[in-house]
Every structure is written in C-alpha cells, then in structure tokens.
Coordinates of all heavy atoms in Angstrom, one line a residue:
P1 N 0.8 -1.2 0.0 CA 0.0 0.0 0.0 C 0.9 1.2 0.0 O 1.9 1.3 0.7 CB -0.8 -0.1 1.3 CG -0.1 -1.1 2.1 CD 0.7 -2.0 1.2
F2 N 0.5 2.2 -0.8 CA 1.2 3.5 -0.9 C 0.3 4.6 -0.6 O -0.7 4.8 -1.4 CB 1.9 3.6 -2.3 CG 2.7 4.8 -2.4 CD1 4.0 4.9 -1.9 CD2 2.2 6.0 -3.1 CE1 4.8 6.0 -2.0 CE2 3.0 7.1 -3.2 CZ 4.3 7.1 -2.6
H3 N 0.5 5.3 0.5 CA -0.3 6.4 0.9 C 0.3 7.7 0.5 O 1.2 8.2 1.1 CB -0.6 6.3 2.4 CG -1.1 5.0 2.9 ND1 -2.5 4.7 2.8 CD2 -0.5 3.9 3.4 CE1 -2.6 3.4 3.2 NE2 -1.5 2.9 3.6
V4 N -0.2 8.2 -0.6 CA 0.4 9.4 -1.2 C 0.4 10.6 -0.2 O 1.5 11.3 -0.1 CB -0.4 9.8 -2.5 CG1 0.1 11.1 -3.0 CG2 -0.4 8.7 -3.5
G5 N -0.6 10.8 0.6 CA -0.6 11.9 1.5 C 0.5 11.7 2.6 O 1.2 12.7 2.9
D6 N 0.6 10.5 3.1 CA 1.6 10.3 4.1 C 3.0 10.4 3.5 O 3.9 11.1 4.1 CB 1.5 8.8 4.7 CG 0.3 8.6 5.6 OD1 -0.3 9.6 6.0 OD2 0.0 7.4 5.8
Y7 N 3.2 9.9 2.3 CA 4.5 10.0 1.7 C 4.9 11.4 1.5 O 6.0 11.9 1.8 CB 4.5 9.2 0.4 CG 5.9 9.2 -0.3 CD1 6.8 8.3 0.0 CD2 6.2 10.2 -1.2 CE1 8.1 8.4 -0.6 CE2 7.4 10.3 -1.8 CZ 8.4 9.3 -1.5 OH 9.6 9.4 -2.1
T8 N 4.0 12.2 0.9 CA 4.2 13.6 0.6 C 4.5 14.4 1.8 O 5.4 15.2 1.8 CB 3.1 14.2 -0.2 OG1 2.9 13.4 -1.4 CG2 3.3 15.6 -0.6
S9 N 3.7 14.2 2.9 CA 3.9 15.0 4.1 C 5.3 14.7 4.7 O 5.8 15.6 5.4 CB 2.8 14.8 5.0 OG 2.8 13.5 5.6
H10 N 5.8 13.5 4.5 CA 7.1 13.1 5.2 C 8.3 13.4 4.3 O 9.4 13.3 4.8 CB 7.0 11.6 5.6 CG 6.1 11.4 6.7 ND1 4.9 10.8 6.5 CD2 6.2 11.6 8.0 CE1 4.3 10.7 7.7 NE2 5.1 11.2 8.6
T11 N 8.1 13.7 3.0 CA 9.2 13.8 2.1 C 9.2 15.1 1.3 O 10.1 15.2 0.4 CB 9.2 12.6 1.1 OG1 7.9 12.7 0.3 CG2 9.2 11.3 1.7
A12 N 8.4 16.0 1.6 CA 8.3 17.3 0.9 C 9.6 18.0 0.9 O 9.9 18.8 0.0 CB 7.2 18.2 1.4
H13 N 10.5 17.8 1.9 CA 11.7 18.5 2.0 C 12.9 17.9 1.2 O 13.9 18.5 1.1 CB 12.2 18.5 3.5 CG 12.4 17.2 4.0 ND1 11.4 16.3 4.3 CD2 13.6 16.5 4.3 CE1 11.9 15.1 4.8 NE2 13.3 15.3 4.8
L14 N 12.6 16.7 0.6 CA 13.7 16.0 -0.1 C 13.9 16.6 -1.5 O 12.9 17.1 -2.2 CB 13.3 14.5 -0.3 CG 13.2 13.7 0.9 CD1 12.8 12.3 0.6 CD2 14.4 13.7 1.8
D15 N 15.2 16.6 -2.0 CA 15.4 17.1 -3.3 C 15.1 15.9 -4.3 O 14.8 14.8 -3.8 CB 16.8 17.6 -3.5 CG 17.9 16.6 -3.5 OD1 17.6 15.4 -3.7 OD2 19.1 17.0 -3.3
P16 N 15.0 16.1 -5.6 CA 14.5 15.0 -6.5 C 15.4 13.7 -6.4 O 14.8 12.6 -6.4 CB 14.6 15.6 -7.8 CG 14.4 17.1 -7.6 CD 15.1 17.4 -6.3
I17 N 16.7 13.8 -6.2 CA 17.5 12.6 -6.1 C 17.2 11.9 -4.8 O 17.1 10.6 -4.8 CB 19.0 12.9 -6.3 CG1 19.3 13.4 -7.7 CG2 19.8 11.7 -6.0 CD1 19.0 12.4 -8.8
E18 N 17.1 12.6 -3.7 CA 16.7 12.0 -2.5 C 15.4 11.3 -2.5 O 15.2 10.2 -2.0 CB 16.8 13.0 -1.3 CG 18.1 13.5 -1.0 CD 18.1 14.7 -0.1 OE1 17.1 15.5 -0.1 OE2 19.1 14.9 0.7
D19 N 14.4 11.9 -3.2 CA 13.1 11.4 -3.3 C 13.2 10.1 -4.1 O 12.6 9.0 -3.7 CB 12.2 12.3 -4.0 CG 10.8 11.8 -4.1 OD1 10.1 11.5 -3.1 OD2 10.3 11.7 -5.3
L20 N 13.9 10.1 -5.2 CA 14.1 8.9 -6.0 C 14.8 7.8 -5.2 O 14.4 6.6 -5.3 CB 15.0 9.2 -7.3 CG 15.3 8.0 -8.2 CD1 14.1 7.4 -8.8 CD2 16.3 8.5 -9.3
A21 N 15.8 8.1 -4.4 CA 16.5 7.2 -3.6 C 15.6 6.5 -2.6 O 15.6 5.3 -2.4 CB 17.7 7.8 -2.9
Y22 N 14.7 7.3 -2.0 CA 13.8 6.8 -1.0 C 12.8 5.9 -1.6 O 12.5 4.8 -1.1 CB 13.1 8.0 -0.3 CG 12.2 7.5 0.9 CD1 12.6 6.5 1.7 CD2 11.0 8.1 1.1 CE1 11.8 6.1 2.8 CE2 10.2 7.7 2.2 CZ 10.6 6.7 3.0 OH 9.8 6.3 4.0
R23 N 12.2 6.3 -2.8 CA 11.2 5.4 -3.5 C 11.8 4.1 -3.9 O 11.3 3.0 -3.7 CB 10.6 6.1 -4.7 CG 9.6 7.2 -4.4 CD 8.4 6.7 -3.6 NE 7.7 5.6 -4.2 CZ 6.7 5.6 -5.0 NH1 6.3 6.8 -5.4 NH2 6.2 4.5 -5.5
R24 N 13.0 4.2 -4.4 CA 13.7 2.9 -4.8 C 14.1 2.1 -3.6 O 14.0 0.9 -3.7 CB 14.9 3.2 -5.7 CG 14.6 3.7 -7.1 CD 15.8 3.9 -7.9 NE 15.5 4.3 -9.2 CZ 16.4 4.6 -10.2 NH1 17.7 4.5 -9.9 NH2 16.0 5.0 -11.4
A25 N 14.4 2.7 -2.5 CA 14.8 2.0 -1.3 C 13.5 1.3 -0.8 O 13.6 0.1 -0.4 CB 15.3 2.9 -0.2
L26 N 12.4 1.9 -0.8 CA 11.2 1.3 -0.4 C 10.9 0.0 -1.3 O 10.6 -1.0 -0.8 CB 10.0 2.2 -0.4 CG 10.0 3.3 0.6 CD1 8.8 4.3 0.3 CD2 9.9 2.8 2.0
D27 N 11.0 0.3 -2.6 CA 10.7 -0.8 -3.5 C 11.7 -2.0 -3.3 O 11.3 -3.2 -3.2 CB 10.9 -0.4 -5.0 CG 9.7 0.5 -5.4 OD1 8.7 0.7 -4.7 OD2 9.9 1.2 -6.5
A28 N 13.0 -1.7 -3.1 CA 13.9 -2.8 -2.8 C 13.6 -3.5 -1.5 O 13.7 -4.7 -1.5 CB 15.3 -2.2 -2.8
Y29 N 13.3 -2.8 -0.5 CA 12.9 -3.3 0.8 C 11.8 -4.3 0.6 O 11.8 -5.5 1.1 CB 12.6 -2.2 1.8 CG 12.7 -2.6 3.2 CD1 13.8 -2.2 3.9 CD2 11.7 -3.4 3.9 CE1 13.9 -2.5 5.3 CE2 11.9 -3.7 5.2 CZ 13.0 -3.3 5.9 OH 13.1 -3.6 7.2
Y30 N 10.7 -3.9 0.0 CA 9.6 -4.8 -0.2 C 9.9 -6.0 -1.1 O 9.4 -7.1 -0.8 CB 8.4 -4.0 -0.8 CG 7.7 -3.1 0.3 CD1 7.7 -1.7 0.1 CD2 7.1 -3.7 1.4 CE1 7.1 -1.0 1.1 CE2 6.5 -2.9 2.4 CZ 6.5 -1.5 2.2 OH 5.9 -0.8 3.2

C-alpha cells in the first residue's frame, strides 16, 4: 500500500534525487 498523503507529508523537504533514492529503497525493501 502506498499512501500518497503520508509519503508527501514526510518527504516534501527532499530534493529530487533523495526522493528517487527513498522510493527505490522502499521498492527494494519490499
């Protein structure tokens, strides 16, 4: 499950590469 609101509220401060790293890290973890 991906909760867009939760994700956005916790990651709005990330730059684009950090955001990409986090999304890929989540995918790899799962």
Side-chain angles (χ1 to χ4, degrees):
F2 183 76
H3 304 280
V4 177
D6 289 347
Y7 182 86
T8 301
S9 69
H10 290 103
T11 62
H13 64 286
L14 299 179
D15 71 20
I17 294 297
E18 291 170 330
D19 183 58
L20 177 62
Y22 186 40
R23 286 300 307 270
R24 287 185 180 178
L26 291 175
D27 289 348
Y29 201 102
Y30 284 118

